[in-house]
Structure formats: structure tokens, C-alpha cells
Amino acid sequence: MKKMLCWLAFTPLAVPAFADELPPSREHLAPAGWEGSYHGLHYSPVVKIGDRVIVSGIPAIVGDNDEAKVRWMFTQLQRHLEEAGATLDDVVELTSFHVARDHAEFRERIEPVLRVHREFFKDHYPAWTAVGTSALFSADAPMELRAEAIIGSGRAPKADIPEPERERPALP
């Protein structure tokens, strides 16, 4: 027994810092219809670590036009979050990847995304980084969306950000 106690004392991370503190749980999840991503492509559509939820990139692939595809993608995001016990209100960060040849095409392609984003995120918006790229794994997807959420963080969000003052035209 003495040797075992000695070994534990000199092994970092062998025991929690405090006797009652456990490491966070880690769950790999997939909403119905996304199981092939885990078993076939070897990635987790959703990883839940304690109260943190990471949603892998969801391609915008179902719909007749870009806006319909984007709306489907946001609906899928909602399903992925629900699988882990989170909601859209709990989303703290988005990263979107948009297929575009140049900045002008990027700005054109992000317009339907901005419209749909407003439908799903009415206030207390997540941080968001939008990236242009030449290709995605899903060939017909105009974009892909990745998200992170903290379960419960959307219950009482705060935002004390004043509206910007509008520029007044100069008097003649």
C-alpha cells in the first residue's frame, strides 16, 4: 500500500487535485441520421464535455437554393444541440466556412446566411467568424457551420451594448 500511495503522489493527473473533484465527462453523440459520420467518417457530429458542447461542421446540403440549404443547416444545428441537452440560446460561438472565389462572391454568398441567422438568433448573438474557402468536403454545399455552446448559458444572458449613433449628414 505504501508503494501505491507513493506512486500516486508523483504521478501528475493520476488523481484529481481535490478528492471530490472529478474530471468532466466526455460523450460522443450523433442525432438520428448522422450516425454514419461517426462510424464511417470517424468524426463525432457532437462532443459534450461537461457543460460544453462542440458541434462539428454541418454542411448546407438540403434545399432548392442557398437560402433553403442554409435554413436546413441551422435546423440541423438545433437538432445537434438538442442531442447534447443544449439549445440555440446556449450557443456562444459559430464558425462558418463559405465557398467563394473572391471577396465579392463571399459577400454575395453570405447574404442568405445573414437573413437566416436572424431567424434563429433573435438576440444575444454568439461570437461568429466567417471564413471563405475554395472547397468543402460536401461538394454541393455552399457553406458549412461549426458551433460551440455552454449548456444553460442562454437562460440569463446579458448584453449592455449601446446602439451606435447614426452619422448625421453634414449641413451645407
Side-chain angles (χ1 to χ4, degrees):
M1 185 70 168
K2 237 181 184 177
K3 286 182 182 179
M4 185 174 180
L5 287 175
C6 183
W7 177 79
L8 287 174
F10 293 108
T11 306
L13 304 176
V15 293
F18 301 100
D20 61 345
E21 187 178 310
L22 296 175
S25 62
R26 178 172 158 178
E27 298 176 68
H28 298 263
L29 306 164
W34 289 86
E35 301 88 351
S37 301
Y38 187 80
H39 296 288
L41 297 175
H42 292 208
Y43 81 88
S44 296
V46 181
V47 178
K48 179 180 176 184
I49 308 105
D51 288 340
R52 180 179 179 206
V53 178
I54 302 169
V55 178
S56 293
I58 300 170
I61 54 173
V62 176
D64 296 336
N65 57 45
D66 282 0
E67 188 165 329
K69 289 179 179 183
V70 169
R71 190 168 286 105
W72 177 85
M73 177 191 66
F74 273 96
T75 301
Q76 294 304 303
L77 172 60
Q78 200 166 12
R79 289 184 59 223
H80 281 63
L81 292 165
E82 288 170 358
E83 190 71 22
T87 68
L88 286 170
D89 290 338
D90 296 327
V91 174
V92 296
E93 184 178 15
L94 296 172
T95 306
S96 57
F97 304 90
H98 307 264
V99 177
R101 289 181 300 272
D102 55 31
H103 187 259
E105 184 179 13
F106 177 87
R107 294 301 295 244
E108 180 182 313
R109 298 207 75 175
I110 204 165
E111 284 305 315
V113 181
L114 294 172
R115 283 191 297 275
V116 174
H117 179 276
R118 287 180 182 105
E119 293 173 22
F120 285 84
F121 295 99
K122 306 269 189 224
D123 58 11
H124 300 99
Y125 319 112
W128 183 10
T129 302
V131 179
T133 185
S134 61
L136 296 169
F137 183 80
S138 298
D140 295 330
M143 72 166 295
E144 191 169 292
L145 184 67
R146 176 193 182 281
E148 290 202 33
I150 306 295
I151 296 171
S153 67
R155 287 189 204 120
K158 297 176 185 171
D160 189 18
I161 303 171
E163 286 276 339
E165 289 187 32
R166 301 202 185 263
E167 288 187 33
R168 296 185 182 129
L171 296 174

